[in-house]
Amino acid sequence: MSPPSQPVWVLADPRAGTAAQALGIAERLGGGHRVVPLEWGPLARLPLPVPTLAGLRDRSAFVPPWPQLAISAGRRSAPVARWLAGQGVRIVHCMRAWPAAGIDLMVIGRHDLSPARLRRDPPEAPNILPILGATHGLTPDRLGQARAAAPELGALPSPRIALLVGGKVRGEGLDPAVAAGLGAQVAGFAGSVMATTSRRTGEAAADALAASLAPVPHRLHRWGRGGANPLLAFMAWADALVVTGDSISMLSESLVTAAPIFIAPLGGEGPRHLAMHESLYAAGQARPISAAPAPFARLPLDETGRVAAEIRARGWLG
């Protein structure tokens, strides 16, 4: 029996950060969507610039009725999206997936169109939409709700600095010395600090961070310790944000706030992450932590909302 029809399918890569880019757009469109989990087989490792389901371990979800629109993200999902295009489905794809033919709208972060990569990229085209950062699920409304739900954070001394700490780009366990140095640097110009760690930070680094923040009033949420994550409330109440440079997701979500953003490289970030930093600096949306604590003005940026508006304007959902 065929599954019930939904106007939008989200092709969900197993990597949460990649899937979140497609899911974030679908949520902003409204009207209902179906999440189609993708489970990769051995052929998914190969570059497959053709329409095919060959990279999938399980293809049982790919039966009619077909949606009006499918949203995908990541290199491995592009052949699947192109296959759906052959069934008459409109395709929105996040991240680079050349050739662009067969994709109705390719949403590409400007960090993936950096000068080092431009010689491999096609010229501007109607089906290519550059954005700053990556799409995600954080909305201005959610940020406002998080602020309203945590009024006690407003009593912390200003300037309130939200410190968002990641870790190694691949692997787990931030060097505790790096965490301590970052914490001490932020504590040196903060009235108070609202800090969160992530899956990649590690307990040893979290301990070092906690010790370095002791001289100032602070809140520290340790990833994996249970309880609700106050990340959004911290972001909403922040007078400034310090975000480690390893996470394109955290940097992209931070753009929704109106606070100055300072990027703290951890060392070891690859060309793609460094290009992300440079794209935000060039757009006036962030500065390196060496420029802190000097404040600067920036406007909130809702790139996911802009992508959703573009899809609606093209009339792909009836």
Side-chain angles (χ1 to χ4, degrees), residues 26 61 63 65 69 77 100 107 111 152 196 202 225 263 285 314:
V63 295
L69 176 72
S77 67
V107 180
H111 56 281
E152 69 280 3
T196 66
R225 288 284 187 93
I263 300 176
Q285 286 288 330
R314 297 191 183 207

Side-chain angles (χ1 to χ4, degrees), residues 2 69 105 192 216 223 228 254 272 302 305:
S2 297
L69 176 72
L105 187 65
S192 58
V216 297
W223 186 89
S254 297
R272 187 165 179 263
D302 182 13

